[in-house]
Amino acid sequence: MDRYTEGLREAAFEYGIKRLAYDLDMSESRLYKKLDPDSGVNMTLADFFRINRILGDVRCVQAALDDLGIVATPRIDAEDEIEAEIQELLLDQQEQASRFMRAIRQAKADGRIDDAELELIRNERRSLAENGNTIMTRIERVHEKGLRLAKA
């Protein structure tokens, strides 16, 4: 299975093939073929993005983001929720930083870092980076809109 479309397939089946086919204005059998890597029917890039837009599931693009060393940040549109979200995200950031450092310390404990430990460290780093980027986009939004925050 192609690692770039594996997450898309998982998300599509969880969403429901019948529902997704309807949303795409495509027959179920055609969608099944496009999602089956062994069917001989290729999924086009346009199909990939149309499905991704409907599913809105990060698994659809996570492998590509990982390969590019990029983390994605969800947007928020409700300005009245930004301050509460920033406070929660800051608390989460502290917890994530602790998990990241703990993973490194545990991996170093025996003097070498194995594949599983490296994967855990990478996952913790990605979570830390995603959360940090999300906080930054919220702070930028507050600045852009000239919103006032409660004093600490």
Side-chain angles (χ1 to χ4, degrees):
M1 185 175 287
D2 177 339
R3 65 187 217 83
Y4 287 110
T5 56
E6 182 179 356
L8 181 84
R9 285 184 192 95
E10 290 172 4
F13 282 99
E14 288 173 15
Y15 183 82
I17 297 302
K18 184 175 187 165
R19 179 177 166 201
L20 183 57
Y22 176 82
D23 291 347
L24 292 166
D25 194 28
M26 180 185 298
S27 73
E28 287 178 56
S29 63
R30 182 81 177 151
L31 181 56
Y32 272 116
K33 288 177 184 173
K34 286 182 178 270
L35 293 171
D36 181 357
D38 300 321
S39 74
V41 176
N42 292 325
M43 181 182 306
T44 66
L45 190 57
D47 291 331
F48 180 84
F49 282 109
R50 282 180 63 214
I51 293 169
N52 188 31
R53 273 194 300 272
I54 291 168
L55 299 177
D57 191 305
V58 72
R59 290 176 293 178
C60 298
V61 294
Q62 192 61 59
L65 293 174
D66 289 345
D67 281 351
L68 294 170
I70 296 172
V71 294
T73 303
R75 290 187 324 222
I76 185 171
D77 294 322
E79 292 172 3
D80 58 338
E81 297 175 14
I82 289 178
E83 184 169 0
E85 185 187 24
I86 290 171
Q87 290 173 355
E88 280 298 313
L89 288 167
L90 288 170
L91 292 172
D92 291 346
Q93 186 76 353
Q94 290 176 334
E95 291 174 15
Q96 288 169 338
S98 294
R99 285 195 302 270
F100 176 63
M101 295 184 66
R102 185 177 327 112
I104 293 170
R105 285 188 182 125
Q106 289 173 345
K108 288 177 36 179
D110 64 359
R112 66 183 222 41
I113 298 175
D114 65 30
D115 291 343
E117 291 167 331
L118 181 60
E119 186 62 24
L120 177 63
I121 292 168
R122 282 184 179 140
N123 289 338
E124 293 299 342
R125 186 227 29 107
R126 181 180 6 188
S127 294
L128 187 62
E130 286 170 351
N131 196 61
N133 287 348
T134 302
I135 292 168
M136 194 64 222
T137 61
R138 301 316 184 254
I139 296 294
E140 288 168 346
R141 177 84 178 238
V142 166
H143 174 74
E144 244 176 54
K145 298 289 185 180
L147 302 174
R148 295 193 47 90
L149 298 175
K151 294 181 182 181

